[in-house]
Amino acid sequence: MKTLMKCIFLIACVWAFISCSLDEFYTPDSTDTRSIQFIARPTSFTGYTVRTKASNSLAEMENRVSSAYFLAFNKDGNRFIFDDLTDRIQSNAVPTINLRSDLRTELVTVCYLVNVSYEFASSIETIDDLDNPLNITYADPVQAGAIGVPLLTCSKHNIETCCIPMFSVKTVNLPTDETSFTMELKRSFAKMDVELSMNLEGDDEDHKTKFFNLMEYSVINLPNKVMLIDPAEGIDTLATAVMEPSGWGPSDMEDPVVTDRLFEGEATFGQNEGVSFSFYTPEHFVIPAVSPDDVIPTSTKPEERQKYKPLLVEGQNATLLRLKGLYGEGEEDLVKTLTYDIYLGRNNSDDFCIFRNFRYNNKIRIIDTQNFKDGGDLGVDHRVNL
């Protein structure tokens, strides 16, 4: 009996020691000289030519912090810290975390998950679980102010709001002399800025009565899942990136497509006028199944290769922007309905990769309508339906 009691006592002491060590390792005491601070801050959208067209409401939504969780994993990839920070969020700032740096000698991976549900965050028990896709429910475009904005619903905290998921991961070798680390939060969505204008070639006097009325636009093939952790981690610039996603893409996701996210409005403009708007889309990679050389005639001028872009990804669920409007010349019998499909990516000819946390500036100009009507060279444009 004494031997049994000694074993029970030893087990209890070991358990108490482990519990105490973990409690000490994770301390909210920022005055402790042995602590490391982890400071989370949202990064800016980056990308090609940046034009700030967003309203204040969109800018606020992009940086909104509605829920936040801090996780830490040991060298074996097992979670040993899970902290729900949601009730401590103030003024859209993710709370700073303080960890003791002297109680472990190992690689520790820390992670912030922002604007995800408690159910999702608490399900991440190992570092491999960070590869789990995040399900997306899209908010009503009128409510959100733009197409493609996720709706966060969290019953534990009674949250239902429009915000964009963000994350940050960092591996730290303990012990360390560093006293703080800045954790840059990356959004798992891209922002698309669109500038649509009519700039017809020739004398402006000849185009006085011509107009374009944008009746509606929609975003087709929005994925309903996104990888929380960046599968393209390490790719820094759009210009130098050679995107060969390692086994991940829309075809690997169950029910990957959300169609016809329609936002109706009216905007009528004439020569040298236009309209601007923005929308969002999750990171989404599509590699064309066919080579451009197989579908684009060899005699095609470089500036006209964009006309064949839709043919490269037929049936592949690439994300596209669909514009629908009326083109007219002031007389009722010259008014035509036009639908224009713009496949999104890093260029206008053969790329269909949308990177997270990037802003894409899409400049769309109507420069020639005569050829569309008369069946000239531009009549073979596979993006336009009259």
Side-chain angles (χ1 to χ4, degrees):
M1 178 62 72
K2 287 184 177 180
T3 301
L4 177 61
M5 292 301 294
K6 285 182 179 179
C7 290
I8 293 173
F9 177 75
L10 287 174
I11 292 173
C13 287
V14 170
W15 176 250
F17 174 77
I18 294 174
S19 299
C20 183
S21 296
L22 291 181
D23 289 341
E24 289 180 359
F25 181 70
Y26 177 47
T27 172
D29 184 6
S30 60
T31 63
D32 193 327
T33 57
R34 300 163 298 178
S35 70
I36 313 172
Q37 283 194 332
F38 291 91
I39 306 167
R41 293 174 180 167
T43 60
S44 300
F45 281 107
T46 57
Y48 285 124
T49 305
V50 175
R51 293 178 177 268
T52 306
K53 297 290 184 180
S55 66
N56 290 333
S57 60
L58 283 185
E60 189 276 331
M61 184 276 300
E62 292 169 4
N63 294 293
R64 182 177 296 155
V65 176
S66 298
S67 67
Y69 309 88
F70 181 83
L71 293 77
F73 305 89
N74 62 21
K75 65 182 187 329
D76 297 320
N78 297 314
R79 189 186 78 191
F80 67 92
I81 291 177
F82 176 81
D83 191 8
D84 183 351
L85 310 175
T86 303
D87 291 337
R88 284 175 266 163
I89 295 171
Q90 293 183 1
S91 302
N92 283 328
V94 178
T96 296
I97 294 297
N98 296 278
L99 299 184
R100 281 278 299 275
S101 65
D102 60 336
L103 294 183
R104 288 192 171 218
T105 304
E106 64 173 328
L107 281 174
V108 172
T109 301
V110 296
C111 175
Y112 277 100
L113 304 179
V114 176
N115 294 338
V116 300
S117 69
Y118 175 85
E119 292 75 18
F120 179 85
S122 61
S123 71
I124 307 298
E125 297 183 346
T126 71
I127 201 165
D128 290 339
D129 291 339
L130 291 173
D131 292 331
N132 295 341
L134 179 68
N135 293 323
I136 304 168
T137 299
Y138 290 100
D140 179 87
V142 176
Q143 173 191 354
I147 293 177
V149 177
L151 178 66
L152 170 64
T153 302
C154 181
S155 56
K156 182 178 187 296
H157 296 288
N158 195 27
I159 296 173
E160 184 171 295
T161 188
C162 304
C163 52
I164 297 180
M166 295 183 277
F167 83 98
S168 185
V169 177
K170 184 178 288 292
T171 299
V172 180
N173 195 1
L174 297 181
T176 177
D177 293 331
E178 298 289 339
T179 58
S180 67
F181 293 95
T182 297
M183 306 278 287
E184 294 189 345
L185 297 168
K186 294 178 65 176
R187 300 169 188 82
S188 53
F189 278 58
K191 183 175 183 178
M192 299 289 172
D193 288 337
V194 178
E195 299 177 18
L196 175 63
S197 61
M198 187 162 71
N199 306 103
L200 300 175
E201 297 175 341
D203 192 337
D204 288 347
E205 288 295 319
D206 297 334
H207 306 309
K208 273 187 174 182
T209 62
K210 298 176 183 178
F211 66 90
F212 185 80
N213 171 225
L214 178 63
M215 297 186 295
E216 62 189 36
Y217 64 89
S218 55
V219 183
I220 313 297
N221 295 343
L222 278 174
N224 63 10
K225 298 177 188 291
V226 67
M227 302 299 288
L228 185 68
I229 302 301
D230 190 351
E233 190 70 43
I235 295 179
D236 297 323
T237 65
L238 294 178
T240 60
V242 178
M243 189 58 231
E244 292 292 344
S246 56
W248 180 82
S251 60
D252 299 321
M253 298 187 293
E254 182 181 355
D255 299 324
V257 178
V258 177
T259 60
D260 292 326
R261 305 296 301 187
L262 188 62
F263 181 77
E264 295 184 359
E266 290 191 5
T268 301
F269 51 90
Q271 176 70 346
N272 298 325
E273 297 176 339
V275 64
S276 300
F277 57 91
S278 300
F279 63 94
Y280 302 86
T281 177
E283 184 170 61
H284 189 50
F285 304 137
V286 175
I287 305 301
V290 299
S291 168
D293 295 336
D294 294 335
V295 297
I296 302 177
T298 56
S299 59
T300 304
K301 298 177 182 178
E303 64 270 18
E304 293 183 0
R305 291 176 67 87
Q306 60 183 296
K307 298 186 298 185
Y308 297 89
K309 191 174 184 180
L311 300 182
L312 302 180
V313 287
E314 285 186 323
Q316 288 189 257
N317 298 331
T319 304
L320 65 105
L321 169 66
R322 176 165 294 165
L323 305 173
K324 183 177 180 181
L326 296 174
Y327 168 76
E329 296 188 21
E331 299 179 22
E332 188 174 347
D333 59 340
L334 292 179
V335 174
K336 292 184 177 293
T337 300
L338 181 147
T339 301
Y340 195 79
D341 288 346
I342 301 158
Y343 282 80
L344 304 171
R346 294 175 292 178
N347 61 39
N348 62 8
S349 57
D350 59 8
D351 186 89
F352 303 85
C353 292
I354 300 171
F355 285 77
R356 67 181 59 211
N357 215 68
F358 272 87
R359 170 181 273 134
Y360 294 76
N361 185 37
N362 299 275
K363 294 183 178 181
I364 305 163
R365 295 188 301 152
I366 302 171
I367 61 173
D368 192 337
T369 58
Q370 189 66 31
N371 283 333
F372 289 141
K373 292 190 295 180
D374 295 345
D377 291 339
L378 293 181
V380 299
D381 194 329
H382 295 280
R383 304 161 300 167
V384 181
N385 294 304
L386 286 172

